Amino acid sequence: MIAYVKGTLEEIAESNVVVDVNGIGYNVKISAGTMGQLPGLHQNVTLFTYTYVREDTFCLYGFMTKDELQVFRLLITVNGVGPKGALGILSVISVQDLRFAIMAADSRMISKAPGIGKKTAERVILDLRDKISLEDALEQKAQVSGEMEGMAGDAAKKEAVEALVALGYHASEAMRAVNRVYGDEISDTESILKAALKQMF
């Protein structure tokens, strides 16, 4: 129904944002992955949305990329997952890692999401393994690698990302955190790392 919302980011709360579109504030539910990609308050933002409508419910779920929205749509087709469960999965696993987990039949990784048990995780794998392609996963991985290479000219940013990855964070979320905090006042490796870690907690 609503393909996307484009406006000013007015509020950020846990798993929810308010986007002002021409004077109308839209409540949009988001994943932790999307949260990490948001601009600052009062900045322009575009969220690709899924409209969830039931007799007593009308919710918008928003994503920074069409790719994440597409995977969300696949997840909610799995019996027992639903929008809340799909958002939970995308909050603990990046889209890229979820694809690899499905292809590797790694139910343990998927069951890390809140409310997703082992049986549901196995159902996700069974239902979606034929809908997730190796080409898509490798393409996303290549994109992340390309972004890392693009940081080669800025040693401090690259070192901060590598340090976060060494601490166990995914490369994509590490890059998002670093890009959000990097600026004139935060430009050396130690300062970037400290500020990025605050963003990620």
Side-chain angles (χ1 to χ4, degrees):
M1 294 175 64
I2 300 175
Y4 63 87
V5 293
K6 182 177 183 179
T8 307
L9 186 60
E10 292 297 329
E11 293 181 22
I12 302 176
E14 185 178 357
S15 72
N16 188 83
V17 296
V18 175
V19 180
D20 184 318
V21 182
N22 297 324
I24 300 175
Y26 287 88
N27 274 302
V28 185
K29 295 182 180 297
I30 60 171
S31 68
T34 298
M35 177 80 74
Q37 301 176 65
L38 290 173
L41 284 174
H42 312 304
Q43 300 295 313
N44 291 329
V45 66
T46 299
L47 294 173
F48 300 99
T49 55
Y50 173 81
T51 307
Y52 179 72
V53 181
R54 289 294 181 269
E55 290 182 3
D56 58 348
T57 305
F58 184 97
C59 293
L60 284 177
Y61 292 83
F63 308 91
M64 291 295 290
T65 67
K66 290 182 178 180
D67 185 48
E68 190 176 14
L69 172 59
Q70 179 186 4
V71 173
F72 175 84
R73 287 178 176 275
L74 288 175
L75 285 170
I76 62 176
T77 65
V78 179
N79 186 34
V81 176
K84 185 177 180 180
L87 210 62
I89 291 172
L90 293 174
S91 289
V92 299
I93 312 172
S94 69
V95 171
Q96 174 194 341
D97 287 338
L98 177 59
R99 285 193 173 105
F100 282 114
I102 290 171
M103 288 184 294
D106 189 350
S107 60
R108 184 178 177 183
M109 175 177 280
I110 298 171
S111 63
K112 289 180 180 179
I116 302 297
K118 183 180 179 182
K119 288 185 177 180
T120 303
E122 290 173 347
R123 194 177 300 124
V124 168
I125 293 168
L126 182 64
D127 288 1
L128 300 186
R129 62 187 176 187
D130 293 333
K131 300 176 182 178
I132 296 291
S133 70
L134 178 62
E135 289 77 12
D136 285 341
L138 292 175
E139 183 180 337
Q140 291 299 315
K141 185 175 182 180
Q143 182 178 342
V144 170
S145 299
E147 290 174 8
M148 283 287 287
E149 291 174 4
M151 287 185 174
D154 195 320
K157 287 176 71 173
K158 188 175 181 182
E159 287 172 4
V161 171
E162 290 173 347
L164 289 170
V165 171
L167 290 172
Y169 293 100
H170 298 300
S172 56
E173 68 175 332
M175 284 186 291
R176 289 195 295 267
V178 167
N179 284 330
R180 289 189 68 185
V181 303
Y182 182 78
D184 293 335
E185 296 181 1
I186 305 177
S187 57
D188 62 280
T189 302
E190 184 178 355
S191 298
I192 295 170
L193 186 57
K194 287 180 179 179
L197 282 169
K198 288 181 181 179
Q199 287 279 332
M200 300 174 90
F201 281 109

PDB file of all heavy atoms in Angstrom, residues 2 7 14-15 18 26 28 36 41 54 66 73 85 87 89-90 94 101 115 120 125 130 179 200:
ATOM      1  N   ILE A   2       1.815   1.333   0.949  1.00  0.00           N
ATOM      2  CA  ILE A   2       2.725   2.471   1.011  1.00  0.00           C
ATOM      3  C   ILE A   2       4.112   1.946   0.670  1.00  0.00           C
ATOM      4  O   ILE A   2       4.699   1.172   1.426  1.00  0.00           O
ATOM      5  CB  ILE A   2       2.731   3.127   2.402  1.00  0.00           C
ATOM      6  CG1 ILE A   2       1.325   3.632   2.746  1.00  0.00           C
ATOM      7  CG2 ILE A   2       3.739   4.279   2.463  1.00  0.00           C
ATOM      8  CD1 ILE A   2       1.191   4.196   4.147  1.00  0.00           C
ATOM      9  N   GLY A   7      10.952  11.768   4.251  1.00  0.00           N
ATOM     10  CA  GLY A   7      10.716  13.000   4.989  1.00  0.00           C
ATOM     11  C   GLY A   7      11.814  13.254   6.002  1.00  0.00           C
ATOM     12  O   GLY A   7      12.955  12.819   5.825  1.00  0.00           O
ATOM     13  N   GLU A  14      13.414   2.836  20.555  1.00  0.00           N
ATOM     14  CA  GLU A  14      13.801   1.442  20.361  1.00  0.00           C
ATOM     15  C   GLU A  14      12.872   0.770  19.355  1.00  0.00           C
ATOM     16  O   GLU A  14      11.675   0.681  19.586  1.00  0.00           O
ATOM     17  CB  GLU A  14      13.759   0.688  21.693  1.00  0.00           C
ATOM     18  CG  GLU A  14      14.276  -0.739  21.588  1.00  0.00           C
ATOM     19  CD  GLU A  14      14.259  -1.453  22.928  1.00  0.00           C
ATOM     20  OE1 GLU A  14      13.891  -0.820  23.936  1.00  0.00           O
ATOM     21  OE2 GLU A  14      14.601  -2.638  22.954  1.00  0.00           O
ATOM     22  N   SER A  15      13.417   0.348  18.247  1.00  0.00           N
ATOM     23  CA  SER A  15      12.710  -0.352  17.163  1.00  0.00           C
ATOM     24  C   SER A  15      11.599   0.477  16.514  1.00  0.00           C
ATOM     25  O   SER A  15      10.721  -0.070  15.866  1.00  0.00           O
ATOM     26  CB  SER A  15      12.127  -1.692  17.661  1.00  0.00           C
ATOM     27  OG  SER A  15      11.025  -1.494  18.518  1.00  0.00           O
ATOM     28  N   VAL A  18       9.837   8.053  13.963  1.00  0.00           N
ATOM     29  CA  VAL A  18       8.765   8.890  13.432  1.00  0.00           C
ATOM     30  C   VAL A  18       9.351   9.730  12.308  1.00  0.00           C
ATOM     31  O   VAL A  18      10.350  10.436  12.493  1.00  0.00           O
ATOM     32  CB  VAL A  18       8.157   9.809  14.509  1.00  0.00           C
ATOM     33  CG1 VAL A  18       7.123  10.740  13.877  1.00  0.00           C
ATOM     34  CG2 VAL A  18       7.513   8.992  15.621  1.00  0.00           C
ATOM     35  N   TYR A  26       4.704   9.735  10.553  1.00  0.00           N
ATOM     36  CA  TYR A  26       4.478   8.305  10.360  1.00  0.00           C
ATOM     37  C   TYR A  26       5.320   7.499  11.355  1.00  0.00           C
ATOM     38  O   TYR A  26       6.542   7.656  11.394  1.00  0.00           O
ATOM     39  CB  TYR A  26       4.852   7.887   8.936  1.00  0.00           C
ATOM     40  CG  TYR A  26       3.873   8.354   7.885  1.00  0.00           C
ATOM     41  CD1 TYR A  26       4.011   9.612   7.292  1.00  0.00           C
ATOM     42  CD2 TYR A  26       2.809   7.563   7.486  1.00  0.00           C
ATOM     43  CE1 TYR A  26       3.123  10.057   6.332  1.00  0.00           C
ATOM     44  CE2 TYR A  26       1.908   7.994   6.514  1.00  0.00           C
ATOM     45  CZ  TYR A  26       2.071   9.243   5.942  1.00  0.00           C
ATOM     46  OH  TYR A  26       1.188   9.679   4.984  1.00  0.00           O
ATOM     47  N   VAL A  28       7.082   4.249  12.171  1.00  0.00           N
ATOM     48  CA  VAL A  28       7.608   3.156  11.365  1.00  0.00           C
ATOM     49  C   VAL A  28       8.451   2.239  12.248  1.00  0.00           C
ATOM     50  O   VAL A  28       9.372   2.700  12.930  1.00  0.00           O
ATOM     51  CB  VAL A  28       8.481   3.681  10.199  1.00  0.00           C
ATOM     52  CG1 VAL A  28       8.913   2.523   9.305  1.00  0.00           C
ATOM     53  CG2 VAL A  28       7.730   4.735   9.389  1.00  0.00           C
ATOM     54  N   GLY A  36      20.970   1.245  12.690  1.00  0.00           N
ATOM     55  CA  GLY A  36      22.375   1.582  12.542  1.00  0.00           C
ATOM     56  C   GLY A  36      22.704   2.390  11.304  1.00  0.00           C
ATOM     57  O   GLY A  36      23.783   2.959  11.197  1.00  0.00           O
ATOM     58  N   LEU A  41      18.879  13.035  13.810  1.00  0.00           N
ATOM     59  CA  LEU A  41      17.558  13.643  13.948  1.00  0.00           C
ATOM     60  C   LEU A  41      17.447  14.901  13.090  1.00  0.00           C
ATOM     61  O   LEU A  41      18.418  15.629  12.907  1.00  0.00           O
ATOM     62  CB  LEU A  41      17.275  13.991  15.407  1.00  0.00           C
ATOM     63  CG  LEU A  41      16.901  12.823  16.328  1.00  0.00           C
ATOM     64  CD1 LEU A  41      16.809  13.309  17.764  1.00  0.00           C
ATOM     65  CD2 LEU A  41      15.587  12.187  15.896  1.00  0.00           C
ATOM     66  N   ARG A  54      -4.260  -5.711   9.729  1.00  0.00           N
ATOM     67  CA  ARG A  54      -5.155  -6.725  10.257  1.00  0.00           C
ATOM     68  C   ARG A  54      -6.384  -6.007  10.808  1.00  0.00           C
ATOM     69  O   ARG A  54      -6.465  -4.789  10.761  1.00  0.00           O
ATOM     70  CB  ARG A  54      -4.468  -7.550  11.345  1.00  0.00           C
ATOM     71  CG  ARG A  54      -3.382  -8.485  10.820  1.00  0.00           C
ATOM     72  CD  ARG A  54      -3.953  -9.578   9.931  1.00  0.00           C
ATOM     73  NE  ARG A  54      -2.938 -10.497   9.436  1.00  0.00           N
ATOM     74  CZ  ARG A  54      -2.287 -10.347   8.315  1.00  0.00           C
ATOM     75  NH1 ARG A  54      -2.523  -9.281   7.552  1.00  0.00           N
ATOM     76  NH2 ARG A  54      -1.384 -11.229   7.916  1.00  0.00           N
ATOM     77  N   LYS A  66      16.040  -1.723  -0.342  1.00  0.00           N
ATOM     78  CA  LYS A  66      15.032  -2.614  -0.915  1.00  0.00           C
ATOM     79  C   LYS A  66      15.408  -4.075  -0.701  1.00  0.00           C
ATOM     80  O   LYS A  66      14.538  -4.946  -0.605  1.00  0.00           O
ATOM     81  CB  LYS A  66      14.868  -2.331  -2.415  1.00  0.00           C
ATOM     82  CG  LYS A  66      14.213  -0.997  -2.719  1.00  0.00           C
ATOM     83  CD  LYS A  66      14.026  -0.805  -4.216  1.00  0.00           C
ATOM     84  CE  LYS A  66      13.320   0.511  -4.525  1.00  0.00           C
ATOM     85  NZ  LYS A  66      13.132   0.718  -5.975  1.00  0.00           N
ATOM     86  N   ARG A  73      10.073  -9.592   3.469  1.00  0.00           N
ATOM     87  CA  ARG A  73       8.879 -10.150   2.823  1.00  0.00           C
ATOM     88  C   ARG A  73       8.964 -11.676   2.727  1.00  0.00           C
ATOM     89  O   ARG A  73       7.963 -12.381   2.893  1.00  0.00           O
ATOM     90  CB  ARG A  73       8.699  -9.554   1.424  1.00  0.00           C
ATOM     91  CG  ARG A  73       8.214  -8.104   1.410  1.00  0.00           C
ATOM     92  CD  ARG A  73       8.120  -7.602  -0.038  1.00  0.00           C
ATOM     93  NE  ARG A  73       7.579  -6.266  -0.126  1.00  0.00           N
ATOM     94  CZ  ARG A  73       6.288  -5.971  -0.163  1.00  0.00           C
ATOM     95  NH1 ARG A  73       5.400  -6.949  -0.128  1.00  0.00           N
ATOM     96  NH2 ARG A  73       5.870  -4.725  -0.261  1.00  0.00           N
ATOM     97  N   GLY A  85       8.660 -11.365  14.309  1.00  0.00           N
ATOM     98  CA  GLY A  85       9.754 -12.326  14.272  1.00  0.00           C
ATOM     99  C   GLY A  85      10.756 -12.005  13.180  1.00  0.00           C
ATOM    100  O   GLY A  85      11.968 -12.123  13.379  1.00  0.00           O
ATOM    101  N   LEU A  87      11.421  -9.065  11.947  1.00  0.00           N
ATOM    102  CA  LEU A  87      12.185  -7.893  12.378  1.00  0.00           C
ATOM    103  C   LEU A  87      13.239  -8.303  13.406  1.00  0.00           C
ATOM    104  O   LEU A  87      14.356  -7.785  13.406  1.00  0.00           O
ATOM    105  CB  LEU A  87      11.243  -6.844  12.971  1.00  0.00           C
ATOM    106  CG  LEU A  87      11.659  -5.381  12.815  1.00  0.00           C
ATOM    107  CD1 LEU A  87      11.732  -4.996  11.352  1.00  0.00           C
ATOM    108  CD2 LEU A  87      10.684  -4.474  13.547  1.00  0.00           C
ATOM    109  N   ILE A  89      14.735 -11.229  13.607  1.00  0.00           N
ATOM    110  CA  ILE A  89      15.821 -11.911  12.895  1.00  0.00           C
ATOM    111  C   ILE A  89      16.759 -10.892  12.252  1.00  0.00           C
ATOM    112  O   ILE A  89      17.985 -10.983  12.366  1.00  0.00           O
ATOM    113  CB  ILE A  89      15.258 -12.870  11.824  1.00  0.00           C
ATOM    114  CG1 ILE A  89      14.548 -14.058  12.499  1.00  0.00           C
ATOM    115  CG2 ILE A  89      16.371 -13.380  10.908  1.00  0.00           C
ATOM    116  CD1 ILE A  89      13.801 -14.959  11.542  1.00  0.00           C
ATOM    117  N   LEU A  90      16.182  -9.895  11.583  1.00  0.00           N
ATOM    118  CA  LEU A  90      17.002  -8.888  10.899  1.00  0.00           C
ATOM    119  C   LEU A  90      17.678  -7.925  11.875  1.00  0.00           C
ATOM    120  O   LEU A  90      18.525  -7.132  11.473  1.00  0.00           O
ATOM    121  CB  LEU A  90      16.135  -8.110   9.900  1.00  0.00           C
ATOM    122  CG  LEU A  90      15.642  -8.933   8.715  1.00  0.00           C
ATOM    123  CD1 LEU A  90      14.666  -8.130   7.862  1.00  0.00           C
ATOM    124  CD2 LEU A  90      16.810  -9.422   7.857  1.00  0.00           C
ATOM    125  N   SER A  94      22.634  -9.785   9.866  1.00  0.00           N
ATOM    126  CA  SER A  94      22.576  -8.961   8.660  1.00  0.00           C
ATOM    127  C   SER A  94      21.944  -9.770   7.536  1.00  0.00           C
ATOM    128  O   SER A  94      21.925 -11.006   7.567  1.00  0.00           O
ATOM    129  CB  SER A  94      23.983  -8.508   8.248  1.00  0.00           C
ATOM    130  OG  SER A  94      24.748  -9.608   7.775  1.00  0.00           O
ATOM    131  N   ALA A 101      23.457 -18.213   6.260  1.00  0.00           N
ATOM    132  CA  ALA A 101      22.953 -19.126   7.285  1.00  0.00           C
ATOM    133  C   ALA A 101      21.898 -20.068   6.704  1.00  0.00           C
ATOM    134  O   ALA A 101      21.864 -21.259   7.021  1.00  0.00           O
ATOM    135  CB  ALA A 101      22.367 -18.329   8.455  1.00  0.00           C
ATOM    136  N   GLY A 115      12.466 -14.800  20.261  1.00  0.00           N
ATOM    137  CA  GLY A 115      11.196 -15.414  19.888  1.00  0.00           C
ATOM    138  C   GLY A 115      11.297 -16.445  18.772  1.00  0.00           C
ATOM    139  O   GLY A 115      10.288 -17.008  18.344  1.00  0.00           O
ATOM    140  N   THR A 120      11.462 -23.192  14.561  1.00  0.00           N
ATOM    141  CA  THR A 120      11.105 -22.110  13.638  1.00  0.00           C
ATOM    142  C   THR A 120      12.277 -21.768  12.738  1.00  0.00           C
ATOM    143  O   THR A 120      12.109 -21.516  11.537  1.00  0.00           O
ATOM    144  CB  THR A 120      10.657 -20.860  14.417  1.00  0.00           C
ATOM    145  OG1 THR A 120       9.558 -21.199  15.269  1.00  0.00           O
ATOM    146  CG2 THR A 120      10.223 -19.756  13.473  1.00  0.00           C
ATOM    147  N   ILE A 125      14.796 -22.112   7.186  1.00  0.00           N
ATOM    148  CA  ILE A 125      15.760 -22.707   6.256  1.00  0.00           C
ATOM    149  C   ILE A 125      15.045 -23.550   5.204  1.00  0.00           C
ATOM    150  O   ILE A 125      15.313 -23.439   4.004  1.00  0.00           O
ATOM    151  CB  ILE A 125      16.784 -23.560   7.033  1.00  0.00           C
ATOM    152  CG1 ILE A 125      17.655 -22.652   7.906  1.00  0.00           C
ATOM    153  CG2 ILE A 125      17.645 -24.382   6.066  1.00  0.00           C
ATOM    154  CD1 ILE A 125      18.495 -23.399   8.926  1.00  0.00           C
ATOM    155  N   ASP A 130      15.312 -22.433  -1.205  1.00  0.00           N
ATOM    156  CA  ASP A 130      15.171 -22.398  -2.667  1.00  0.00           C
ATOM    157  C   ASP A 130      14.887 -20.992  -3.192  1.00  0.00           C
ATOM    158  O   ASP A 130      14.874 -20.774  -4.408  1.00  0.00           O
ATOM    159  CB  ASP A 130      14.055 -23.344  -3.129  1.00  0.00           C
ATOM    160  CG  ASP A 130      14.412 -24.806  -2.890  1.00  0.00           C
ATOM    161  OD1 ASP A 130      15.615 -25.132  -2.868  1.00  0.00           O
ATOM    162  OD2 ASP A 130      13.485 -25.620  -2.701  1.00  0.00           O
ATOM    163  N   ASN A 179      30.810   5.313   9.734  1.00  0.00           N
ATOM    164  CA  ASN A 179      30.388   6.410   8.854  1.00  0.00           C
ATOM    165  C   ASN A 179      29.508   7.423   9.573  1.00  0.00           C
ATOM    166  O   ASN A 179      29.521   8.609   9.258  1.00  0.00           O
ATOM    167  CB  ASN A 179      29.643   5.850   7.641  1.00  0.00           C
ATOM    168  CG  ASN A 179      30.586   5.237   6.621  1.00  0.00           C
ATOM    169  OD1 ASN A 179      31.721   5.666   6.486  1.00  0.00           O
ATOM    170  ND2 ASN A 179      30.123   4.221   5.914  1.00  0.00           N
ATOM    171  N   MET A 200      26.852   1.488  18.838  1.00  0.00           N
ATOM    172  CA  MET A 200      26.470   0.099  18.671  1.00  0.00           C
ATOM    173  C   MET A 200      25.911  -0.527  19.946  1.00  0.00           C
ATOM    174  O   MET A 200      25.451  -1.656  19.942  1.00  0.00           O
ATOM    175  CB  MET A 200      27.672  -0.715  18.157  1.00  0.00           C
ATOM    176  CG  MET A 200      28.172  -0.187  16.821  1.00  0.00           C
ATOM    177  SD  MET A 200      29.678  -0.960  16.226  1.00  0.00           S
ATOM    178  CE  MET A 200      29.013  -2.318  15.286  1.00  0.00           C
TER     179      MET A 200
END
